[in-house]
Short mmCIF file of all heavy atoms in Angstrom, two decimals:
data_model
loop_
_atom_site.label_atom_id
_atom_site.label_comp_id
_atom_site.label_asym_id
_atom_site.label_seq_id
_atom_site.Cartn_x
_atom_site.Cartn_y
_atom_site.Cartn_z
N MET A 1 -84.35 -157.89 150.59
CA MET A 1 -85.17 -157.23 151.62
C MET A 1 -86.60 -157.06 151.12
O MET A 1 -86.82 -156.62 150.01
CB MET A 1 -84.58 -155.86 151.95
CG MET A 1 -85.32 -155.22 153.08
SD MET A 1 -84.30 -154.60 154.40
CE MET A 1 -83.78 -153.01 153.83
N SER A 2 -87.52 -157.40 151.94
CA SER A 2 -88.93 -157.35 151.53
C SER A 2 -89.65 -156.13 152.07
O SER A 2 -89.66 -155.89 153.27
CB SER A 2 -89.63 -158.63 152.01
OG SER A 2 -91.02 -158.41 152.04
N ASP A 3 -90.24 -155.38 151.16
CA ASP A 3 -91.00 -154.20 151.55
C ASP A 3 -92.19 -154.56 152.43
O ASP A 3 -92.49 -153.86 153.39
CB ASP A 3 -91.52 -153.49 150.31
CG ASP A 3 -90.60 -152.36 149.91
OD1 ASP A 3 -89.50 -152.28 150.49
OD2 ASP A 3 -90.98 -151.58 149.03
N ILE A 4 -92.86 -155.66 152.04
CA ILE A 4 -94.08 -156.05 152.76
C ILE A 4 -93.75 -156.40 154.21
O ILE A 4 -94.43 -155.97 155.14
CB ILE A 4 -94.77 -157.22 152.04
CG1 ILE A 4 -95.32 -156.72 150.69
CG2 ILE A 4 -95.90 -157.79 152.89
CD1 ILE A 4 -95.70 -157.81 149.73
N ALA A 5 -92.69 -157.16 154.39
CA ALA A 5 -92.29 -157.53 155.75
C ALA A 5 -91.90 -156.28 156.55
O ALA A 5 -92.24 -156.17 157.72
CB ALA A 5 -91.13 -158.51 155.71
N ASP A 6 -91.21 -155.35 155.90
CA ASP A 6 -90.85 -154.10 156.57
C ASP A 6 -92.09 -153.36 157.04
O ASP A 6 -92.14 -152.87 158.16
CB ASP A 6 -90.07 -153.19 155.62
CG ASP A 6 -88.61 -153.57 155.58
OD1 ASP A 6 -88.23 -154.46 156.36
OD2 ASP A 6 -87.88 -152.98 154.78
N ARG A 7 -93.06 -153.29 156.14
CA ARG A 7 -94.27 -152.55 156.49
C ARG A 7 -95.04 -153.25 157.60
O ARG A 7 -95.59 -152.60 158.48
CB ARG A 7 -95.16 -152.38 155.25
CG ARG A 7 -95.06 -150.98 154.70
CD ARG A 7 -95.95 -150.81 153.49
NE ARG A 7 -95.13 -150.63 152.31
CZ ARG A 7 -95.40 -151.15 151.11
NH1 ARG A 7 -96.45 -151.91 150.96
NH2 ARG A 7 -94.61 -150.94 150.10
N ALA A 8 -95.08 -154.57 157.56
CA ALA A 8 -95.78 -155.32 158.60
C ALA A 8 -95.09 -155.08 159.94
O ALA A 8 -95.75 -154.87 160.96
CB ALA A 8 -95.79 -156.81 158.27
N GLY A 9 -93.78 -155.08 159.94
CA GLY A 9 -93.03 -154.84 161.16
C GLY A 9 -93.31 -153.45 161.69
O GLY A 9 -93.51 -153.26 162.90
N TRP A 10 -93.37 -152.49 160.79
CA TRP A 10 -93.65 -151.12 161.20
C TRP A 10 -95.03 -151.01 161.83
O TRP A 10 -95.21 -150.35 162.84
CB TRP A 10 -93.54 -150.21 159.97
CG TRP A 10 -93.84 -148.77 160.25
CD1 TRP A 10 -92.96 -147.83 160.71
CD2 TRP A 10 -95.10 -148.12 160.11
NE1 TRP A 10 -93.62 -146.63 160.85
CE2 TRP A 10 -94.92 -146.77 160.50
CE3 TRP A 10 -96.37 -148.54 159.70
CZ2 TRP A 10 -95.97 -145.85 160.48
CZ3 TRP A 10 -97.41 -147.62 159.68
CH2 TRP A 10 -97.20 -146.29 160.07
N ARG A 11 -95.99 -151.72 161.22
CA ARG A 11 -97.37 -151.67 161.74
C ARG A 11 -97.44 -152.25 163.15
O ARG A 11 -98.07 -151.71 164.02
CB ARG A 11 -98.33 -152.48 160.85
CG ARG A 11 -99.01 -151.73 159.80
CD ARG A 11 -100.44 -151.31 159.99
NE ARG A 11 -101.07 -151.38 161.29
CZ ARG A 11 -101.61 -150.33 161.88
NH1 ARG A 11 -101.55 -149.16 161.32
NH2 ARG A 11 -102.24 -150.44 163.02
N ILE A 12 -96.78 -153.39 163.32
CA ILE A 12 -96.83 -154.04 164.63
C ILE A 12 -96.20 -153.13 165.68
O ILE A 12 -96.73 -152.92 166.76
CB ILE A 12 -96.11 -155.41 164.58
CG1 ILE A 12 -96.94 -156.39 163.74
CG2 ILE A 12 -95.88 -155.96 165.98
CD1 ILE A 12 -96.18 -157.62 163.28
N GLU A 13 -95.08 -152.53 165.31
CA GLU A 13 -94.41 -151.62 166.24
C GLU A 13 -95.33 -150.44 166.59
O GLU A 13 -95.42 -150.04 167.75
CB GLU A 13 -93.13 -151.10 165.58
CG GLU A 13 -92.08 -150.70 166.59
CD GLU A 13 -90.78 -150.37 165.89
OE1 GLU A 13 -90.23 -151.27 165.22
OE2 GLU A 13 -90.34 -149.22 165.98
N LYS A 14 -96.01 -149.91 165.56
CA LYS A 14 -96.95 -148.81 165.80
C LYS A 14 -98.05 -149.24 166.76
O LYS A 14 -98.41 -148.51 167.66
CB LYS A 14 -97.61 -148.38 164.48
CG LYS A 14 -96.87 -147.35 163.68
CD LYS A 14 -96.33 -146.22 164.48
CE LYS A 14 -97.17 -144.97 164.43
NZ LYS A 14 -96.47 -143.84 165.09
N ASP A 15 -98.59 -150.44 166.52
CA ASP A 15 -99.69 -150.93 167.36
C ASP A 15 -99.23 -151.07 168.80
O ASP A 15 -99.95 -150.72 169.74
CB ASP A 15 -100.19 -152.28 166.85
CG ASP A 15 -101.04 -152.11 165.59
OD1 ASP A 15 -101.43 -150.97 165.29
OD2 ASP A 15 -101.31 -153.12 164.93
N VAL A 16 -98.04 -151.59 169.00
CA VAL A 16 -97.51 -151.74 170.35
C VAL A 16 -97.33 -150.38 171.00
O VAL A 16 -97.71 -150.17 172.16
CB VAL A 16 -96.17 -152.52 170.33
CG1 VAL A 16 -95.49 -152.47 171.70
CG2 VAL A 16 -96.41 -153.96 169.89
N GLN A 17 -96.80 -149.43 170.23
CA GLN A 17 -96.62 -148.08 170.76
C GLN A 17 -97.95 -147.47 171.15
O GLN A 17 -98.08 -146.86 172.21
CB GLN A 17 -95.96 -147.18 169.71
CG GLN A 17 -94.45 -147.30 169.69
CD GLN A 17 -93.86 -146.51 168.53
OE1 GLN A 17 -94.54 -145.74 167.88
NE2 GLN A 17 -92.59 -146.73 168.28
N ASN A 18 -98.95 -147.65 170.27
CA ASN A 18 -100.27 -147.10 170.56
C ASN A 18 -100.85 -147.73 171.81
O ASN A 18 -101.43 -147.04 172.64
CB ASN A 18 -101.21 -147.33 169.38
CG ASN A 18 -100.86 -146.44 168.20
OD1 ASN A 18 -100.14 -145.46 168.36
ND2 ASN A 18 -101.36 -146.78 167.03
N ALA A 19 -100.70 -149.03 171.93
CA ALA A 19 -101.24 -149.73 173.10
C ALA A 19 -100.56 -149.24 174.37
O ALA A 19 -101.21 -148.98 175.38
CB ALA A 19 -101.05 -151.23 172.94
N ARG A 20 -99.24 -149.09 174.30
CA ARG A 20 -98.50 -148.60 175.47
C ARG A 20 -98.94 -147.19 175.82
O ARG A 20 -99.15 -146.87 176.99
CB ARG A 20 -96.99 -148.57 175.17
CG ARG A 20 -96.38 -149.93 175.27
CD ARG A 20 -94.97 -149.85 175.82
NE ARG A 20 -94.31 -151.14 175.60
CZ ARG A 20 -93.46 -151.35 174.61
NH1 ARG A 20 -93.12 -150.38 173.80
NH2 ARG A 20 -92.92 -152.53 174.45
N ALA A 21 -99.08 -146.33 174.80
CA ALA A 21 -99.49 -144.95 175.03
C ALA A 21 -100.87 -144.95 175.67
O ALA A 21 -101.13 -144.18 176.59
CB ALA A 21 -99.51 -144.18 173.72
N HIS A 22 -101.73 -145.82 175.18
CA HIS A 22 -103.08 -145.88 175.70
C HIS A 22 -103.07 -146.27 177.18
O HIS A 22 -103.69 -145.63 178.01
CB HIS A 22 -103.88 -146.90 174.89
CG HIS A 22 -105.33 -146.93 175.24
ND1 HIS A 22 -106.20 -145.94 174.87
CD2 HIS A 22 -106.06 -147.82 175.94
CE1 HIS A 22 -107.40 -146.22 175.33
NE2 HIS A 22 -107.35 -147.36 175.98
N VAL A 23 -102.32 -147.30 177.50
CA VAL A 23 -102.26 -147.79 178.88
C VAL A 23 -101.68 -146.73 179.80
O VAL A 23 -102.24 -146.44 180.85
CB VAL A 23 -101.43 -149.09 178.96
CG1 VAL A 23 -101.10 -149.43 180.40
CG2 VAL A 23 -102.18 -150.24 178.30
N SER A 24 -100.57 -146.11 179.40
CA SER A 24 -99.94 -145.14 180.29
C SER A 24 -100.82 -143.91 180.43
O SER A 24 -100.85 -143.29 181.48
CB SER A 24 -98.55 -144.76 179.78
OG SER A 24 -98.66 -144.13 178.52
N LYS A 25 -101.52 -143.55 179.35
CA LYS A 25 -102.39 -142.40 179.42
C LYS A 25 -103.54 -142.66 180.39
O LYS A 25 -103.87 -141.81 181.20
CB LYS A 25 -102.95 -142.10 178.03
CG LYS A 25 -103.39 -140.67 177.89
CD LYS A 25 -104.01 -140.42 176.54
CE LYS A 25 -103.14 -140.87 175.38
NZ LYS A 25 -103.89 -140.98 174.14
N GLN A 26 -104.11 -143.85 180.30
CA GLN A 26 -105.21 -144.20 181.20
C GLN A 26 -104.72 -144.14 182.65
O GLN A 26 -105.45 -143.76 183.54
CB GLN A 26 -105.73 -145.60 180.89
CG GLN A 26 -106.41 -145.72 179.53
CD GLN A 26 -107.65 -144.86 179.42
OE1 GLN A 26 -108.45 -144.83 180.33
NE2 GLN A 26 -107.80 -144.14 178.32
N ALA A 27 -103.48 -144.56 182.86
CA ALA A 27 -102.96 -144.59 184.21
C ALA A 27 -102.69 -143.18 184.73
O ALA A 27 -102.85 -142.91 185.91
CB ALA A 27 -101.68 -145.42 184.25
N LEU A 28 -102.27 -142.30 183.82
CA LEU A 28 -101.91 -140.95 184.24
C LEU A 28 -103.12 -140.06 184.49
O LEU A 28 -103.10 -139.25 185.40
CB LEU A 28 -101.03 -140.29 183.17
CG LEU A 28 -99.58 -140.73 183.14
CD1 LEU A 28 -98.88 -140.13 181.93
CD2 LEU A 28 -98.86 -140.32 184.42
N LEU A 29 -104.13 -140.22 183.65
CA LEU A 29 -105.25 -139.30 183.72
C LEU A 29 -106.21 -139.71 184.83
O LEU A 29 -106.61 -140.85 184.92
CB LEU A 29 -106.02 -139.29 182.40
CG LEU A 29 -105.38 -138.52 181.26
CD1 LEU A 29 -106.31 -138.52 180.06
CD2 LEU A 29 -105.06 -137.10 181.67
N GLU A 30 -106.53 -138.76 185.65
CA GLU A 30 -107.54 -139.01 186.68
C GLU A 30 -108.68 -138.06 186.49
O GLU A 30 -108.48 -136.87 186.22
CB GLU A 30 -106.92 -138.83 188.06
CG GLU A 30 -106.25 -140.08 188.57
CD GLU A 30 -105.71 -139.85 189.96
OE1 GLU A 30 -106.47 -139.36 190.81
OE2 GLU A 30 -104.54 -140.15 190.16
N SER A 31 -109.86 -138.57 186.65
CA SER A 31 -111.04 -137.72 186.53
C SER A 31 -111.11 -136.79 187.72
O SER A 31 -111.08 -137.22 188.87
CB SER A 31 -112.27 -138.62 186.46
OG SER A 31 -113.40 -137.86 186.72
N ASP A 32 -111.18 -135.49 187.44
CA ASP A 32 -111.27 -134.52 188.55
C ASP A 32 -112.46 -133.59 188.37
O ASP A 32 -112.50 -132.51 188.95
CB ASP A 32 -109.96 -133.74 188.67
CG ASP A 32 -109.64 -132.94 187.41
OD1 ASP A 32 -110.43 -133.00 186.45
OD2 ASP A 32 -108.60 -132.27 187.40
N GLY A 33 -113.42 -134.02 187.52
CA GLY A 33 -114.62 -133.21 187.34
C GLY A 33 -114.46 -132.09 186.33
O GLY A 33 -115.36 -131.28 186.15
N ARG A 34 -113.28 -132.04 185.68
CA ARG A 34 -113.06 -131.04 184.63
C ARG A 34 -112.48 -131.71 183.40
O ARG A 34 -111.70 -132.65 183.52
CB ARG A 34 -112.10 -129.95 185.12
CG ARG A 34 -112.76 -128.96 186.05
CD ARG A 34 -111.79 -127.89 186.47
NE ARG A 34 -112.45 -126.96 187.39
CZ ARG A 34 -113.10 -125.88 186.99
NH1 ARG A 34 -113.18 -125.57 185.72
NH2 ARG A 34 -113.68 -125.10 187.87
N CYS A 35 -112.85 -131.16 182.23
CA CYS A 35 -112.30 -131.65 180.97
C CYS A 35 -110.78 -131.44 180.99
O CYS A 35 -110.31 -130.36 181.36
CB CYS A 35 -112.93 -130.88 179.82
SG CYS A 35 -112.21 -131.27 178.23
N HIS A 36 -110.02 -132.47 180.63
CA HIS A 36 -108.57 -132.35 180.65
C HIS A 36 -108.03 -131.43 179.56
O HIS A 36 -106.87 -131.05 179.59
CB HIS A 36 -107.93 -133.73 180.52
CG HIS A 36 -107.90 -134.49 181.81
ND1 HIS A 36 -109.03 -134.97 182.41
CD2 HIS A 36 -106.87 -134.82 182.62
CE1 HIS A 36 -108.69 -135.58 183.54
NE2 HIS A 36 -107.40 -135.50 183.69
N PHE A 37 -108.90 -131.10 178.60
CA PHE A 37 -108.41 -130.25 177.52
C PHE A 37 -108.85 -128.81 177.69
O PHE A 37 -108.03 -127.90 177.66
CB PHE A 37 -108.88 -130.79 176.16
CG PHE A 37 -108.23 -130.08 175.01
CD1 PHE A 37 -106.89 -130.27 174.72
CD2 PHE A 37 -108.95 -129.19 174.25
CE1 PHE A 37 -106.28 -129.59 173.68
CE2 PHE A 37 -108.35 -128.51 173.20
CZ PHE A 37 -107.02 -128.71 172.92
N CYS A 38 -110.15 -128.57 177.91
CA CYS A 38 -110.64 -127.19 177.93
C CYS A 38 -111.05 -126.73 179.33
O CYS A 38 -111.44 -125.60 179.52
CB CYS A 38 -111.80 -127.02 176.95
SG CYS A 38 -113.33 -127.79 177.50
N ASP A 39 -110.96 -127.64 180.32
CA ASP A 39 -111.20 -127.27 181.71
C ASP A 39 -112.67 -127.03 182.05
O ASP A 39 -112.98 -126.50 183.11
CB ASP A 39 -110.39 -126.02 182.08
CG ASP A 39 -109.55 -126.28 183.32
OD1 ASP A 39 -109.19 -127.45 183.55
OD2 ASP A 39 -109.28 -125.34 184.07
N GLU A 40 -113.54 -127.42 181.14
CA GLU A 40 -114.96 -127.26 181.41
C GLU A 40 -115.41 -128.25 182.49
O GLU A 40 -114.89 -129.36 182.57
CB GLU A 40 -115.74 -127.52 180.11
CG GLU A 40 -117.21 -127.18 180.22
CD GLU A 40 -117.82 -127.00 178.84
OE1 GLU A 40 -117.12 -126.46 177.95
OE2 GLU A 40 -118.96 -127.41 178.64
N LEU A 41 -116.36 -127.83 183.32
CA LEU A 41 -116.89 -128.72 184.34
C LEU A 41 -117.68 -129.85 183.69
O LEU A 41 -118.50 -129.61 182.81
CB LEU A 41 -117.82 -127.95 185.29
CG LEU A 41 -117.11 -127.05 186.30
CD1 LEU A 41 -118.13 -126.15 186.99
CD2 LEU A 41 -116.35 -127.87 187.31
N ILE A 42 -117.41 -131.09 184.09
CA ILE A 42 -118.07 -132.25 183.51
C ILE A 42 -118.41 -133.25 184.61
O ILE A 42 -117.97 -133.09 185.75
CB ILE A 42 -117.17 -132.95 182.45
CG1 ILE A 42 -115.77 -133.19 183.01
CG2 ILE A 42 -117.10 -132.11 181.18
CD1 ILE A 42 -114.90 -134.04 182.11
N ALA A 43 -119.16 -134.28 184.23
CA ALA A 43 -119.49 -135.33 185.19
C ALA A 43 -118.21 -135.96 185.71
O ALA A 43 -117.22 -136.10 184.98
CB ALA A 43 -120.36 -136.38 184.52
N HIS A 44 -118.20 -136.34 186.97
CA HIS A 44 -116.96 -136.71 187.63
C HIS A 44 -116.24 -137.93 187.05
O HIS A 44 -115.03 -138.02 187.12
CB HIS A 44 -117.21 -136.92 189.12
CG HIS A 44 -116.02 -136.50 189.93
ND1 HIS A 44 -115.75 -135.16 190.19
CD2 HIS A 44 -115.02 -137.20 190.49
CE1 HIS A 44 -114.62 -135.08 190.88
NE2 HIS A 44 -114.16 -136.29 191.08
N ALA A 45 -117.01 -138.86 186.48
CA ALA A 45 -116.38 -140.07 185.95
C ALA A 45 -115.71 -139.81 184.59
O ALA A 45 -114.94 -140.64 184.12
CB ALA A 45 -117.40 -141.18 185.81
N LEU A 46 -116.00 -138.68 183.98
CA LEU A 46 -115.50 -138.41 182.63
C LEU A 46 -114.15 -137.70 182.67
O LEU A 46 -113.81 -137.03 183.65
CB LEU A 46 -116.50 -137.55 181.86
CG LEU A 46 -117.89 -138.14 181.67
CD1 LEU A 46 -118.79 -137.13 180.98
CD2 LEU A 46 -117.82 -139.43 180.88
N LEU A 47 -113.40 -137.84 181.58
CA LEU A 47 -112.11 -137.16 181.46
C LEU A 47 -112.21 -135.95 180.54
O LEU A 47 -111.45 -135.00 180.69
CB LEU A 47 -111.06 -138.12 180.92
CG LEU A 47 -110.70 -139.30 181.83
CD1 LEU A 47 -109.75 -140.25 181.10
CD2 LEU A 47 -110.05 -138.82 183.11
N PHE A 48 -113.14 -136.01 179.57
CA PHE A 48 -113.28 -134.93 178.60
C PHE A 48 -114.74 -134.60 178.39
O PHE A 48 -115.61 -135.45 178.58
CB PHE A 48 -112.66 -135.35 177.26
CG PHE A 48 -111.20 -135.69 177.37
CD1 PHE A 48 -110.80 -137.01 177.47
CD2 PHE A 48 -110.25 -134.70 177.41
CE1 PHE A 48 -109.45 -137.34 177.61
CE2 PHE A 48 -108.91 -135.00 177.54
CZ PHE A 48 -108.51 -136.32 177.64
N CYS A 49 -115.03 -133.35 178.02
CA CYS A 49 -116.42 -132.94 177.85
C CYS A 49 -117.01 -133.49 176.57
O CYS A 49 -118.21 -133.69 176.49
CB CYS A 49 -116.55 -131.41 177.90
SG CYS A 49 -115.67 -130.55 176.60
N ASN A 50 -116.20 -133.74 175.55
CA ASN A 50 -116.70 -134.35 174.32
C ASN A 50 -115.55 -135.00 173.56
O ASN A 50 -114.38 -134.89 173.94
CB ASN A 50 -117.46 -133.34 173.46
CG ASN A 50 -116.57 -132.19 173.03
OD1 ASN A 50 -115.39 -132.39 172.75
ND2 ASN A 50 -117.11 -131.00 173.01
N VAL A 51 -115.92 -135.67 172.46
CA VAL A 51 -114.92 -136.44 171.72
C VAL A 51 -113.90 -135.52 171.04
O VAL A 51 -112.74 -135.89 170.86
CB VAL A 51 -115.61 -137.40 170.71
CG1 VAL A 51 -116.17 -136.62 169.53
CG2 VAL A 51 -114.68 -138.50 170.27
N ASP A 52 -114.32 -134.30 170.69
CA ASP A 52 -113.39 -133.35 170.08
C ASP A 52 -112.26 -133.00 171.04
O ASP A 52 -111.10 -132.93 170.66
CB ASP A 52 -114.12 -132.06 169.68
CG ASP A 52 -114.96 -132.27 168.43
OD1 ASP A 52 -114.70 -133.25 167.69
OD2 ASP A 52 -115.88 -131.48 168.22
N CYS A 53 -112.63 -132.74 172.30
CA CYS A 53 -111.61 -132.41 173.29
C CYS A 53 -110.68 -133.61 173.51
O CYS A 53 -109.47 -133.43 173.64
CB CYS A 53 -112.26 -132.02 174.61
SG CYS A 53 -112.67 -130.26 174.67
N ARG A 54 -111.24 -134.81 173.51
CA ARG A 54 -110.40 -135.98 173.70
C ARG A 54 -109.41 -136.11 172.53
O ARG A 54 -108.23 -136.37 172.74
CB ARG A 54 -111.25 -137.25 173.81
CG ARG A 54 -110.48 -138.39 174.45
CD ARG A 54 -111.19 -139.70 174.23
NE ARG A 54 -111.23 -140.04 172.83
CZ ARG A 54 -112.07 -140.92 172.29
NH1 ARG A 54 -112.94 -141.54 173.03
NH2 ARG A 54 -112.04 -141.17 171.01
N ASN A 55 -109.92 -135.93 171.32
CA ASN A 55 -109.06 -136.02 170.14
C ASN A 55 -107.99 -134.94 170.15
O ASN A 55 -106.83 -135.20 169.85
CB ASN A 55 -109.89 -135.92 168.86
CG ASN A 55 -110.71 -137.17 168.62
OD1 ASN A 55 -110.44 -138.22 169.19
ND2 ASN A 55 -111.73 -137.05 167.79
N ASP A 56 -108.38 -133.72 170.50
CA ASP A 56 -107.43 -132.61 170.55
C ASP A 56 -106.37 -132.86 171.62
O ASP A 56 -105.20 -132.57 171.44
CB ASP A 56 -108.14 -131.29 170.82
CG ASP A 56 -108.87 -130.79 169.58
OD1 ASP A 56 -108.64 -131.35 168.49
OD2 ASP A 56 -109.68 -129.86 169.70
N TYR A 57 -106.83 -133.39 172.75
CA TYR A 57 -105.89 -133.71 173.82
C TYR A 57 -104.89 -134.77 173.35
O TYR A 57 -103.68 -134.64 173.57
CB TYR A 57 -106.65 -134.21 175.05
CG TYR A 57 -105.75 -134.57 176.21
CD1 TYR A 57 -105.38 -133.62 177.14
CD2 TYR A 57 -105.29 -135.87 176.36
CE1 TYR A 57 -104.55 -133.95 178.20
CE2 TYR A 57 -104.47 -136.21 177.42
CZ TYR A 57 -104.10 -135.26 178.33
OH TYR A 57 -103.28 -135.59 179.36
N ASP A 58 -105.41 -135.81 172.68
CA ASP A 58 -104.53 -136.86 172.15
C ASP A 58 -103.50 -136.26 171.19
O ASP A 58 -102.32 -136.60 171.24
CB ASP A 58 -105.35 -137.91 171.41
CG ASP A 58 -106.00 -138.88 172.37
OD1 ASP A 58 -105.66 -138.87 173.57
OD2 ASP A 58 -106.86 -139.66 171.92
N LYS A 59 -103.97 -135.37 170.32
CA LYS A 59 -103.07 -134.74 169.34
C LYS A 59 -102.02 -133.91 170.06
O LYS A 59 -100.84 -133.93 169.70
CB LYS A 59 -103.87 -133.85 168.39
CG LYS A 59 -104.36 -134.59 167.17
CD LYS A 59 -105.09 -133.63 166.24
CE LYS A 59 -106.48 -134.18 165.91
NZ LYS A 59 -107.42 -133.13 165.53
N GLU A 60 -102.44 -133.18 171.06
CA GLU A 60 -101.52 -132.34 171.82
C GLU A 60 -100.46 -133.20 172.51
O GLU A 60 -99.27 -132.89 172.48
CB GLU A 60 -102.30 -131.54 172.86
CG GLU A 60 -101.48 -130.48 173.56
CD GLU A 60 -102.30 -129.79 174.64
OE1 GLU A 60 -102.56 -130.42 175.68
OE2 GLU A 60 -102.69 -128.65 174.43
N GLN A 61 -100.92 -134.28 173.13
CA GLN A 61 -99.99 -135.18 173.82
C GLN A 61 -99.01 -135.81 172.83
O GLN A 61 -97.82 -135.93 173.12
CB GLN A 61 -100.76 -136.28 174.57
CG GLN A 61 -101.55 -135.76 175.74
CD GLN A 61 -100.68 -135.05 176.76
OE1 GLN A 61 -99.73 -135.62 177.28
NE2 GLN A 61 -100.97 -133.80 177.03
N ALA A 62 -99.52 -136.22 171.66
CA ALA A 62 -98.67 -136.82 170.64
C ALA A 62 -97.63 -135.80 170.17
O ALA A 62 -96.46 -136.13 169.99
CB ALA A 62 -99.50 -137.32 169.47
N ALA A 63 -98.06 -134.55 170.01
CA ALA A 63 -97.14 -133.49 169.58
C ALA A 63 -96.07 -133.25 170.65
O ALA A 63 -94.90 -133.09 170.33
CB ALA A 63 -97.91 -132.20 169.31
N LEU A 64 -96.49 -133.26 171.91
CA LEU A 64 -95.54 -133.07 173.01
C LEU A 64 -94.53 -134.20 173.05
O LEU A 64 -93.34 -133.99 173.25
CB LEU A 64 -96.28 -132.98 174.34
CG LEU A 64 -97.08 -131.71 174.59
CD1 LEU A 64 -97.88 -131.83 175.88
CD2 LEU A 64 -96.18 -130.50 174.64
N ARG A 65 -95.04 -135.45 172.84
CA ARG A 65 -94.13 -136.60 172.85
C ARG A 65 -93.13 -136.49 171.72
O ARG A 65 -91.94 -136.78 171.90
CB ARG A 65 -94.92 -137.91 172.76
CG ARG A 65 -95.38 -138.41 174.11
CD ARG A 65 -95.80 -139.87 174.04
NE ARG A 65 -96.95 -140.06 173.17
CZ ARG A 65 -98.21 -139.94 173.58
NH1 ARG A 65 -98.48 -139.66 174.81
NH2 ARG A 65 -99.20 -140.12 172.74
N ARG A 66 -93.63 -136.08 170.53
CA ARG A 66 -92.73 -135.92 169.38
C ARG A 66 -91.68 -134.85 169.67
O ARG A 66 -90.54 -134.97 169.24
CB ARG A 66 -93.54 -135.54 168.13
CG ARG A 66 -94.02 -136.75 167.35
CD ARG A 66 -94.39 -136.37 165.93
NE ARG A 66 -95.43 -135.35 165.89
CZ ARG A 66 -96.74 -135.62 166.01
NH1 ARG A 66 -97.14 -136.87 166.13
NH2 ARG A 66 -97.63 -134.67 165.96
N ALA A 67 -92.08 -133.83 170.43
CA ALA A 67 -91.15 -132.74 170.73
C ALA A 67 -90.21 -133.13 171.87
O ALA A 67 -89.30 -132.39 172.21
CB ALA A 67 -91.93 -131.48 171.11
N GLY A 68 -90.44 -134.31 172.47
CA GLY A 68 -89.52 -134.82 173.48
C GLY A 68 -89.92 -134.52 174.92
O GLY A 68 -89.10 -134.64 175.81
N TYR A 69 -91.16 -134.13 175.14
CA TYR A 69 -91.61 -133.88 176.51
C TYR A 69 -92.14 -135.13 177.15
O TYR A 69 -92.62 -136.01 176.50
CB TYR A 69 -92.68 -132.79 176.53
CG TYR A 69 -92.11 -131.43 176.22
CD1 TYR A 69 -92.30 -130.89 174.96
CD2 TYR A 69 -91.38 -130.72 177.17
CE1 TYR A 69 -91.76 -129.64 174.65
CE2 TYR A 69 -90.84 -129.49 176.85
CZ TYR A 69 -91.03 -128.95 175.60
OH TYR A 69 -90.49 -127.73 175.29
ZN1 ZN B 1 -113.40 -130.01 176.79
#
């Protein structure tokens, strides 16, 4: 059994998961003029007021997914 092949397989699987998560997230989130994380009023085309909120939202969603939600 090869460690390197195992790790490469793991990476590819991670990339696919990330891509799927990205696509489904884009499909689920709709811009409603408020930051999806802190609810601050923002320009209508945006989903988050800043990159910190986007990152925190991503982390929260990842934690929820890990918890089985
Ligand atoms: Zn925000």
Side-chain angles (χ1 to χ4, degrees):
M1 185 130 83
S2 160
D3 264 10
I4 292 165
D6 277 356
R7 257 181 248 140
W10 178 86
R11 267 258 13 123
I12 290 163
E13 206 173 299
K14 273 316 260 188
D15 285 347
V16 170
Q17 276 174 10
N18 288 343
R20 282 215 193 100
H22 187 73
V23 167
S24 63
K25 203 184 308 164
Q26 293 297 316
L28 283 173
L29 284 184
E30 274 182 50
S31 164
D32 61 0
R34 283 182 181 270
C35 174
H36 279 69
F37 189 72
C38 72
D39 234 28
E40 189 161 323
L41 284 169
I42 50 172
H44 214 77
L46 301 176
L47 295 174
F48 300 99
C49 62
N50 61 37
V51 74
D52 285 340
C53 273
R54 199 195 65 199
N55 288 342
D56 285 348
Y57 179 88
D58 281 349
K59 270 183 233 155
E60 189 184 72
Q61 292 302 303
L64 289 174
R65 274 196 296 273
R66 270 199 301 278
Y69 290 102

